[in-house]
Amino acid sequence: PDGQGRQADVSSPAQCGILATGSQTYFVRTSTMPQIMQVDLNPFNVQSGAAQTVSVKIRDTNNNQITAVSGTANTNAGSINFSLSLAAGTNVNGTWQGSWSLPSSICNTYTMQINATSASGQSALDLSFL
């Protein structure tokens, strides 16, 4: 959960509805390396034609450099793939950032997958937003 008590539902896709506004922070921890630790979405309620910035804190406790971070936002309008690049810290323990835009106003709920890769392996995080 974030500071506002919200928690991502990792069990099933979200249905169309009204999302909370503002930015949202999710504290997570993948069990495999590289370890995805936190996801920040700004704004959380993506509007048609607008961009959402996705910031992800990732670390590799084996001290292997993170070589790729990517995301996929799944909406009623389809899947949008986006890449994330290192924005702060190091490529062993840092914050990666990217953005995507909602092409349609059909539905403003979505699911998201974040993937991170290093010599230690690959980790994936699936989030569904209600």
Side-chain angles (χ1 to χ4, degrees):
D2 67 8
Q4 297 177 10
R6 300 190 188 287
Q7 185 165 344
D9 175 0
V10 295
S11 61
S12 64
Q15 300 298 315
C16 289
I18 298 172
L19 294 174
T21 59
S23 63
Q24 298 293 311
T25 298
Y26 294 93
F27 298 99
V28 296
R29 184 172 298 179
T30 56
S31 59
T32 57
M33 289 295 151
Q35 198 170 50
I36 300 171
M37 305 291 294
Q38 180 177 325
V39 179
D40 296 306
L41 305 173
N42 188 17
F44 184 64
N45 58 330
V46 184
Q47 301 297 316
S48 178
Q52 178 186 70
T53 300
V54 180
S55 300
V56 183
K57 290 186 180 180
I58 305 171
R59 70 179 180 182
D60 188 313
T61 59
N62 296 325
N63 290 322
N64 289 312
Q65 294 183 359
I66 297 158
T67 56
V69 181
S70 63
T72 302
N74 300 296
T75 73
N76 281 25
S79 295
I80 299 107
N81 295 315
F82 60 97
S83 61
L84 294 90
S85 57
L86 185 63
T90 69
N91 57 5
V92 173
N93 185 2
T95 300
W96 297 72
Q97 195 169 72
S99 65
W100 65 280
S101 296
L102 184 65
S104 168
S105 60
I106 296 171
C107 183
N108 66 349
T109 59
Y110 55 96
T111 64
M112 185 173 294
Q113 182 177 53
I114 304 293
N115 295 295
T117 305
S118 75
S120 298
Q122 182 175 15
S123 57
L125 178 69
D126 293 304
L127 300 171
S128 294
F129 306 103
L130 305 175

